[in-house]
């Protein structure tokens, strides 16, 4: 109990240090630099990846509906928070739309999560009775259905059809998404370490044995699905804030695949793994591998292959290599812990002395 | 009669699209029958075949470029299986499915890189692209050819599966992987053959499908790919006649929905159908009953 309490205190101190560091960073460099952009996008992806990991890594449900729930979240947020005086301009084809009020951003984000969770509840009722690959296809299909419904012209006054939604409140400071993600990931961690979380893991490891031990399979699967979608919805709302405008076309199944690959790279069943992998994924796709997209000359020699799009090719080859040869990902199913790092360092030192 | 006249072109288009879905769906259903793997990359292989055709026909006459496209697509399907799926044969099923998603991601990015993200003009195939009028509905010849060719290819395939030694090996492997292995069937060879047949049919489907459209883009194959998969599930995954019937049904209903003016929902309908089928009859129309073993 004591070590647990100490771990919590150390964790909170580190978190406080992280926020202090971010605050200083933000006030020393211009907010349009690549680093700040990466941090913003990375932390939002981290939240979404952790929410998907809760489902795929901890409960063993192979769901591919994440983009659908993010879409619900992003649209709920945007529809509820666009200022009333902007609506006429944005809903120009639909006489200003039917929603004629605007909620504060925080409430908008909460509603985004709640609506995504509500839909997850409805979808989960039938779909969660399916197993592995059938579940994957059914959830993927559901995400496509959501996309079609939102694009439907008849719902135009509410969703603006397939046109852009924009001018909703966004965030300026990098602290905002970090605070939101920290609260959400903290909540997911609490859930994972609770009795419910242990039941999730039991279901993942052996469904039949878990049921025999008296775990209510359907209730726990449904719980995991709803909670995961709640946070995916919040992630969607944050992503909308980060991008400044949203459109249905962003949330295709390719987005679910990307997040799934992040979860795999980080390690199925590791929260810290997903977080680390999100930052690595965003940083390498947006920043570190950028040079691959530009033609390069060494003297008069033009380096072959380098041109627009090569970055993503290299990137996907790296991902394939991880999937094939490094299947456990960065963290496996372990969590990053300072104690383990310290023990390892001490052991190494002890080994050297002996 | 007036109503029929209005619906007839849509019906015709539905049968044609259904045939193209059927050719893709067979690739899904064969691989699933043997490996229990949803080959997410199959739709992308279908698109790559379209691009092969674009680049080949730019420099070579059609007599050379069509067979070459088919050969290259088959090679691609074979290579994907060897590189991305074979090393994971002993791994959990989730890993191999993730690998399939990775391959799909890689192929899409590769196509984007090669084409620069631009839509490429699909070559006009002589004769197939010509217009023809049936019962006052004008359409391309390919619309008529597709279902006929599909049925012919499927009959050929059924002959292969039911009356040859290779076919018997395939049936044995899909019935019981482990036992087939113990009986001395060369599993890897059987799996490769099913990927080769699947890719061959996808290449044929791609030739027919893209003739209907002026251009090809890297992501255009994702949707027909997924729908063909739905068709395979609908018909009972693992069953070839099931996949074909499912594909025709989906192709026709999709186009009828368009005829009634709900184009936005034609994609959604397919997936709604999938969810309903999975709930009511998870083994599909012609699927075998599976018993859960502990």
């Amino acid at each position: 109990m004591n070590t647990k309490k100490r771990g919590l205190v150390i964790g909170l101190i580190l978190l406080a240090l992280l926020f202090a560091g971010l605050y200083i960073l933000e006030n020393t460099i211009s907010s349009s630099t690549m680093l700040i952009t990466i941090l913003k996008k990375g932390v939002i992806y981290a939240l979404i990846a952790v929410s998907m990991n809760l489902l795929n890594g901890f409960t063993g449900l192979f769901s591919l509906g994440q983009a659908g729930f993010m879409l619900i979240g992003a649209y709920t947020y945007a529809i509820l928070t666009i200022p009333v005086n902007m609506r006429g301009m944005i809903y120009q084809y639909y006489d200003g739309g039917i929603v004629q009020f605007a909620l504060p951003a925080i409430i908008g984000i909460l509603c985004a999560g709640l609506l995504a969770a509500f839909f997850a509840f409805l979808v989960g009722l039938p779909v969660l009775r399916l197993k592995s690959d059938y579940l994957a296809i059914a959830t993927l299909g559901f995400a496509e259905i959501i996309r079609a419904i939102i694009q439907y012209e008849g719902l135009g006054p509410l969703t603006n059809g397939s046109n852009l939604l924009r001018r909703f409140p966004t965030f300026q400071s990098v602290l905002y998404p970090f605070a939101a993600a920290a609260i959400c990931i903290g909540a997911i961690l609490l859930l994972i370490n609770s009795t419910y979380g242990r039941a999730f893991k039991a279901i993942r490891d052996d469904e039949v044995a878990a049921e025999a031990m008296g775990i209510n399979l359907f209730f726990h699967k449904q719980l995991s699905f709803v909670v995961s979608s709640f946070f995916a919805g919040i992630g969607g709302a944050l992503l909308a804030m980060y991008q400044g405008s949203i459109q249905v076309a962003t949330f295709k199944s390719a987005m679910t695949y990307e997040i799934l690959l992040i979860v795999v790279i980080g390690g199925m069943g590791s929260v810290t793994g997903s977080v680390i992998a999100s930052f690595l994924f965003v940083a390498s796709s947006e920043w570190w591998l950028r040079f691959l997209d530009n033609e390069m000359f060494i003297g008069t020699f033009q380096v072959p292959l380098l041109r627009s799009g090569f970055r993503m090719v290299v990137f996907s080859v790296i991902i394939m290599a991880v999937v094939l040869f490094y299947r456990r990902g960065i963290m496996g199913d372990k969590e990053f812990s300072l104690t383990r790092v310290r023990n390892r360092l001490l052991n190494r030192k002890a080994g050297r002395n002996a | 009669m007036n109503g029929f006249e209005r619906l007839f072109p849509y019906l015709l288009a539905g049968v044609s699209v259904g045939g193209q879905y059927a050719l893709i769906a067979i690739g899904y259903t064969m691989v699933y029958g043997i490996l229990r793997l949803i080959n997410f990359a199959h739709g992308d292989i279908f698109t790559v075949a379209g691009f092969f055709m674009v680049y080949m026909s730019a420099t070579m006459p059609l007599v050379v470029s069509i067979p070459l496209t088919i050969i290259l697509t088959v090679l691609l399907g074979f290579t994907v299986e060897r590189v991305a799926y074979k090393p994971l044969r002993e791994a959990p099923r989730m890993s191999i499915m993730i690998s399939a998603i990775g391959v799909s991601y890689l192929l899409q990015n590769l196509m984007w890189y090669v084409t620069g993200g631009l839509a490429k003009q699909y070559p006009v195939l002589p004769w197939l692209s010509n217009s023809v009028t049936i019962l006052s509905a004008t359409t391309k010849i390919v619309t008529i050819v597709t279902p006929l060719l599909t049925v012919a290819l499927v009959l050929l395939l059924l002959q292969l599966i039911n009356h040859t030694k290779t076919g018997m090996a395939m049936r044995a492997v899909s019935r019981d992987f482990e036992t087939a292995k113990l009986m001395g069937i060369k599993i890897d060879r059987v799996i490769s053959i099913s990927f080769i047949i699947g890719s061959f049919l996808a290449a044929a489907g791609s030739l027919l499908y893209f003739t209907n459209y002026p251009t090809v883009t890297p992501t255009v194959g994702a949707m027909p790919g997924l729908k063909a998969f739905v068709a395979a599930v609908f018909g009972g995954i693992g069953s070839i006649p099931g996949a074909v019937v499912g594909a025709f049904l989906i192709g026709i209903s999709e186009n009828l929905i368009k005829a009634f003016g709900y184009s936005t929902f034609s994609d959604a309908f397919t997936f709604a159908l999938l969810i309903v089928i999975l709930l009511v009859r998870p083994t599909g129309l012609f699927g075998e009953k599976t018993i859960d073993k502990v």
Side-chain angles (χ1 to χ4, degrees), chain B residues 206-247:
Chain B
S206 143
L207 284 171
L208 299 169
Y209 183 86
F210 288 116
T211 309
N212 287 322
Y213 297 90
T215 56
V216 194
T217 57
T219 48
V220 78
M223 234 340 133
L226 279 177
K227 282 181 188 161
F229 179 77
V230 175
V233 175
F234 185 60
I237 198 140
S239 148
I240 291 173
V244 175
V245 173

Side-chain angles (χ1 to χ4, degrees), chain A residues 102-175:
Chain A
L103 296 173
I106 294 280
I107 297 178
I109 293 177
L110 273 179
C111 290
L114 288 175
L115 202 70
F118 175 68
F119 272 94
F121 175 76
L122 292 183
V123 172
L125 285 177
V127 165
L128 287 176
R129 301 189 187 279
L130 303 168
K131 294 255 162 68
S132 63
D133 22 16
Y134 287 110
L135 176 67
I137 282 294
T139 43
L140 191 71
F142 162 73
E144 292 295 327
I145 294 174
I146 289 277
R147 219 154 57 80
I149 291 175
I150 287 191
Q151 271 177 319
Y152 177 50
E153 286 295 310
L155 284 175
L158 184 66
T159 62
N160 210 11
S162 49
N163 307 308
L164 274 179
L165 282 177
R166 58 207 159 89
R167 296 295 173 91
F168 41 79
T170 55
F171 51 73
Q172 291 306 314
S173 165
V174 67
L175 294 176

Side-chain angles (χ1 to χ4, degrees), chain A residues 62 133-134 137 305 307 327, chain B residues 32 91 93-94 113 229 274:
Chain A
F62 196 73
D133 22 16
Y134 287 110
I137 282 294
L305 294 175
R307 65 185 157 91
R327 223 184 310 149
Chain B
Y32 190 91
R93 265 167 72 192
M94 218 192 237
Y113 169 64
F229 179 77
L274 169 78

Side-chain angles (χ1 to χ4, degrees), chain B residues 4 36 66 85 88 90 93 100 102 108 120 128 132 135 149 175-176 181 192 202 204 208-209 213 220 243 246 267 282:
Chain B
F4 177 76
R36 300 277 175 264
I66 291 178
Y85 304 149
L88 297 175
E90 305 300 321
R93 265 167 72 192
Q108 274 181 22
K120 292 282 169 186
L128 277 183
V132 63
L135 297 179
L149 188 68
R175 182 63 59 86
D176 191 332
K181 212 162 154 184
S192 289
L208 299 169
Y209 183 86
Y213 297 90
V220 78
D267 291 352

Side-chain angles (χ1 to χ4, degrees), chain B residues 53-122:
Chain B
M53 191 61 202
V54 168
Y55 284 102
M56 299 295 158
S57 64
T59 50
M60 282 172 261
L62 286 176
V63 193
V64 187
S65 57
I66 291 178
L68 211 57
T69 298
I70 293 177
I71 291 170
L72 282 174
T73 313
V74 165
L75 261 175
L76 178 70
F78 175 77
T79 318
V80 163
E81 195 277 320
R82 277 295 146 104
V83 175
Y85 304 149
K86 196 172 167 233
L88 297 175
R89 208 134 293 162
E90 305 300 321
R93 265 167 72 192
M94 218 192 237
S95 303
I96 184 164
M97 208 138 71
I98 289 165
S99 182
I101 290 177
V103 172
S104 154
Y105 193 66
L106 174 64
L107 286 179
Q108 274 181 22
N109 285 328
L110 209 60
M111 283 187 277
W112 209 94
Y113 169 64
V114 172
T115 60
L118 301 171
K120 292 282 169 186
Q121 189 90 35
Y122 200 75

Side-chain angles (χ1 to χ4, degrees), chain A residues 62-141:
Chain A
F62 196 73
S63 154
L64 294 176
Q66 220 67 358
F69 295 112
M70 286 163 68
L71 179 63
I72 295 177
Y75 262 75
T76 311
Y77 173 76
I79 290 168
L80 290 179
T81 58
I82 293 175
V84 176
N85 55 357
M86 300 284 184
R87 286 186 186 262
M89 185 186 71
I90 292 164
Y91 286 88
Q92 51 179 333
Y93 304 110
Y94 300 102
D95 302 328
I98 49 165
V99 180
Q100 286 303 340
F101 57 88
L103 296 173
I106 294 280
I107 297 178
I109 293 177
L110 273 179
C111 290
L114 288 175
L115 202 70
F118 175 68
F119 272 94
F121 175 76
L122 292 183
V123 172
L125 285 177
V127 165
L128 287 176
R129 301 189 187 279
L130 303 168
K131 294 255 162 68
S132 63
D133 22 16
Y134 287 110
L135 176 67
I137 282 294
T139 43
L140 191 71

